[in-house]
Amino acid sequence: MLKVLFINPSKWGRGITPIWIASHSGLLKASDYQIQYFDSTFYKKWGFNEHKYNTDNQQYKPTDYEKKIKYNDSNIFANLQKQVDEFLPDIIFSSAISSHIHGEGEYVNIQYYDELVSKINTTALKIAGGLQPTAKPRLVVTQLKNIDIFIRGESEFVLKNICDKYRKGQSYKNLDGLLFKDKISDSIIINNKQPIISNLSSIGKYDYSLFESQIFLRSYNGKIIKAVDYELSRGCVYACDYCVETIIQDYYGFDDITKKGVIKNAKSYLRNKEASQIFNEIKELNDNYEIELFRCQDTNFLTIDKKVLIELSELISSSNLNIKLYIETRPEGISEGSVKLLKKLNVDGVGMGIETSSENFREDNLNRFADQKRIINAFKILKKNNIKRTAYNIIGLPNEDEESIMNTIKFNSLLNPDNITVAFYSPYIGTAQEKKAKSLNYFSNYEKDVDGQLRSLNTTGLLSLDTLNFYKKYFNYFVKNGFDKINDFKDKFFHDA
């Protein structure tokens, strides 16, 4: 029986259930492939305590999360080698595209995978997918030299096809979607693109059984609950210049954009599971693992086929399941009517991108068209209906100055969200903003360790790195308390820095 080892190389140090693991595992297990899983999340010497970092800057409400987690003090490379020696995988796989692409280490994990396997002795075929090879294939092949094969675009069926060929002793190198460096000719081979997965239900049931129990624990509004990352759909109709979604849109040919930043032929790009499958997966996760919170990673929840959402709402409301959903959407989709549907779906929280307060900056620099009044109104409607609201913000964008950040803080004060997240601008290769930032010499040609929640790599922009770190630390404080103490905080922060 062919054996496949999945590696989650996360350095976040807190519970995340990568959706690609569940989707790929479910599909391969259905074909009787043997799967094992290696998770780096809780290795102390490998990762970073993202939970503590973002609790200290008031992005998360305080909990005793760290006390409930058993961290691993042992050598991650020795443990991975031990599992490889005992399991003897034919294929090792990591990093893939799903809806889970919005800032929890998904972009950079392929680099950490390359680092992990660089020190492992194995004859297994090392494969990786994800955003980076999809965006810049030739660049990534030259940078990540410990990976044998890359899969561009969606990889579930491509990986299965590789496994099928491998099991039969046939060559897989002509399969669509592959990228690799030919060892004989020393040339980079980029195969034809594979079709987009038009029906997510064709993947089959997603498999969450690989995850250890403590990975389900998560802080949520000051409590520790059991949660999973989940997807009902893939795709977004919008083409914001900074967003990694545009990498996938470009790969599949959805690069014709209206003046308002909307992709044409969007219906072919938006795909979802069937309502019955969604409900059955949710019910099974609740029954088997006591999952209470479903952190829906769908890029824009309210653009999912309305018939599917209505059918799902009927199934959920008649089931009496003790569950709640956290979703992400755009302010344009929030109305009294849509909120009624969200309530019936047991939606407890909604995250929406503010990014920066200046409407002109969003439109001129980010290709993001979101009317200020509609943003304010959306936050009001959600509050009136007792749905928690999270505002997403970005600092350190190309051409952004300190006044712009302060105005964004003031706008958040006006919105008065229940939760606020602040991300450093990240130069995701292949996006329009990355190309712009590179032309301004903000970043190098290929940046390592890109992670908007943990660090900024900007060293030559309008704002110093220390200034960006200052606003990351005190953004939430200033939203709640104003700027009266800003000079005192600056004196201490920059003195300590």
Side-chain angles (χ1 to χ4, degrees):
M1 181 181 291
L2 188 135
K3 300 176 181 179
V4 183
L5 175 65
F6 290 155
I7 294 180
N8 175 22
S10 173
K11 290 192 175 187
W12 265 40
R14 66 113 164 135
I16 298 171
T17 56
I19 290 171
W20 72 260
I21 292 171
S23 64
H24 288 71
S25 176
L27 183 63
L28 293 186
K29 281 187 175 180
S31 295
D32 293 325
Y33 292 116
Q34 189 174 349
I35 310 296
Q36 280 195 14
Y37 176 51
F38 183 87
D39 192 349
S40 67
T41 299
F42 297 118
Y43 279 84
K44 268 190 175 181
K45 297 175 184 177
W46 169 255
F48 187 89
N49 193 333
E50 181 272 343
H51 182 269
K52 183 179 186 304
Y53 174 65
N54 278 321
T55 299
D56 289 346
N57 63 43
Q58 301 182 37
Q59 189 163 296
Y60 300 150
K61 293 179 173 65
T63 64
D64 60 348
Y65 177 79
E66 278 82 15
K67 294 181 181 179
K68 295 184 178 295
I69 298 299
K70 183 179 180 181
Y71 294 96
N72 195 327
D73 291 316
S74 58
N75 185 297
I76 188 171
F77 296 100
N79 282 10
L80 176 56
Q81 184 68 66
K82 182 174 184 293
Q83 185 166 350
V84 168
D85 290 344
E86 292 175 353
F87 183 49
L88 296 175
D90 301 287
I91 291 172
I92 302 176
F93 181 73
S94 184
S95 179
I97 285 173
S98 67
S99 64
H100 199 171
I101 54 175
H102 301 114
E104 292 179 322
E106 308 85 15
Y107 172 86
V108 75
N109 276 343
I110 190 172
Q111 295 172 353
Y112 301 148
Y113 170 59
D114 183 75
E115 180 183 354
L116 278 175
V117 297
S118 70
K119 300 182 180 180
I120 299 303
N121 182 25
T122 179
T123 60
L125 185 66
K126 297 179 285 294
I127 307 175
L131 294 161
Q132 293 196 32
T134 303
K136 290 286 184 72
R138 294 185 183 279
L139 175 63
V140 171
V141 168
T142 60
Q143 293 290 329
L144 305 178
K145 298 180 180 180
N146 300 295
I147 298 170
D148 300 313
I149 301 286
F150 298 88
I151 302 176
R152 305 176 69 212
E154 295 174 323
S155 52
E156 282 88 355
F157 289 102
V158 180
L159 181 62
K160 180 184 179 299
N161 290 340
I162 293 174
C163 291
D164 291 345
K165 293 281 189 183
Y166 198 101
R167 179 164 60 179
K168 296 174 183 176
Q170 300 173 350
S171 175
Y172 51 80
K173 291 191 175 181
N174 290 327
L175 289 172
D176 290 346
L178 297 192
L179 161 71
F180 57 94
K181 190 169 187 178
D182 186 81
K183 294 180 180 178
I184 298 175
S185 65
D186 202 38
S187 58
I188 294 174
I189 308 299
I190 304 176
N191 288 357
N192 294 330
K193 297 176 182 179
Q194 74 277 40
I196 197 169
I197 300 175
S198 58
N199 178 7
L200 290 191
S201 285
S202 66
I203 296 173
K205 186 177 74 172
Y206 287 30
D207 172 34
Y208 285 79
S209 66
L210 293 176
F211 297 109
E212 64 171 324
S213 59
Q214 68 174 358
I215 208 77
F216 296 132
L217 297 178
R218 196 166 304 191
S219 292
Y220 183 72
N221 289 303
K223 298 180 179 179
I224 305 298
I225 62 175
K226 289 187 176 182
V228 294
D229 298 281
Y230 187 79
E231 71 177 4
L232 296 76
S233 67
R234 290 181 188 173
C236 181
V237 302
Y238 299 100
C240 302
D241 280 355
Y242 57 91
C243 183
V244 291
E245 187 76 49
T246 58
I247 295 171
I248 310 169
Q249 292 168 352
D250 289 347
Y251 181 76
Y252 285 112
F254 294 91
D255 51 4
D256 195 2
I257 314 297
T258 71
K259 292 181 179 180
K260 288 294 185 180
V262 178
I263 63 171
K264 296 180 180 179
N265 196 25
K267 286 186 177 180
S268 298
Y269 185 64
L270 299 178
R271 294 133 312 127
N272 53 261
K273 300 176 186 175
E274 297 167 3
S276 58
Q277 178 182 345
I278 298 167
F279 177 75
N280 289 335
E281 287 180 341
I282 288 174
K283 186 177 186 304
E284 184 174 307
L285 286 164
N286 181 255
D287 289 344
N288 294 345
Y289 305 104
E290 299 179 321
I291 302 302
E292 179 182 353
L293 175 67
F294 290 80
R295 205 293 192 196
C296 301
Q297 293 285 351
D298 309 81
T299 307
N300 191 344
F301 189 88
L302 285 173
T303 58
I304 297 173
D305 187 337
K306 193 170 183 180
K307 291 180 181 179
V308 171
L309 292 180
I310 290 172
E311 182 182 349
L312 179 62
S313 73
E314 296 291 344
L315 292 168
I316 289 176
S317 62
S318 62
S319 70
N320 295 318
L321 287 176
N322 180 29
I323 62 159
K324 49 195 169 191
L325 274 56
Y326 177 92
I327 69 163
E328 295 180 347
T329 194
R330 297 253 304 206
E332 300 94 320
I334 299 296
S335 65
E336 293 290 353
S338 66
V339 166
K340 286 182 182 179
L341 177 59
L342 295 183
K343 295 286 284 185
K344 197 169 182 179
L345 286 161
N346 285 4
V347 171
D348 183 72
V350 174
M352 292 184 289
I354 306 306
E355 319 311 4
T356 183
S357 67
S358 170
E359 193 169 320
N360 289 336
F361 189 97
R362 287 196 301 267
E363 293 180 2
D364 296 342
N365 292 275
L366 307 182
N367 201 37
R368 183 179 177 90
F369 297 83
D371 180 82
Q372 212 85 329
K373 291 181 180 178
R374 297 195 74 168
I375 295 173
I376 295 169
N377 192 49
F379 274 78
K380 287 181 178 178
I381 291 172
L382 290 170
K383 182 177 182 179
K384 185 175 73 173
N385 286 275
N386 296 315
I387 295 177
K388 300 177 185 71
R389 305 147 303 144
T390 299
Y392 299 151
N393 302 272
I394 301 175
I395 59 175
L397 287 155
N399 292 329
E400 183 181 45
D401 57 19
E402 186 169 3
E403 182 181 5
S404 175
I405 294 178
M406 294 179 74
N407 286 336
T408 301
I409 289 171
K410 292 174 184 176
F411 188 52
N412 277 260
S413 296
L414 174 65
L415 296 174
N416 190 27
D418 301 282
N419 300 285
I420 298 167
T421 70
V422 186
F424 297 112
Y425 166 69
S426 295
Y428 299 124
I429 55 173
T431 62
Q433 276 296 308
E434 181 262 347
K435 295 171 187 174
K436 179 179 180 180
K438 196 162 60 178
S439 72
L440 295 170
N441 295 317
Y442 281 23
F443 305 99
S444 67
N445 190 46
Y446 182 73
E447 292 284 359
K448 297 285 185 74
D449 294 325
V450 173
D451 192 318
Q453 275 302 322
L454 299 180
R455 65 189 69 87
S456 172
L457 303 176
N458 184 353
T459 57
T460 59
L462 297 180
L463 299 172
S464 69
L465 186 58
D466 283 343
T467 299
L468 292 173
N469 286 328
F470 172 79
Y471 280 106
K472 170 71 173 178
K473 180 176 179 65
Y474 290 109
F475 194 103
N476 270 271
Y477 177 89
F478 292 140
V479 169
K480 297 169 186 173
N481 301 284
F483 293 106
D484 289 349
K485 294 185 178 181
I486 188 170
N487 290 329
D488 293 337
F489 287 156
K490 277 188 173 183
D491 288 344
K492 183 178 187 308
F493 182 88
F494 288 106
H495 178 270
D496 292 345

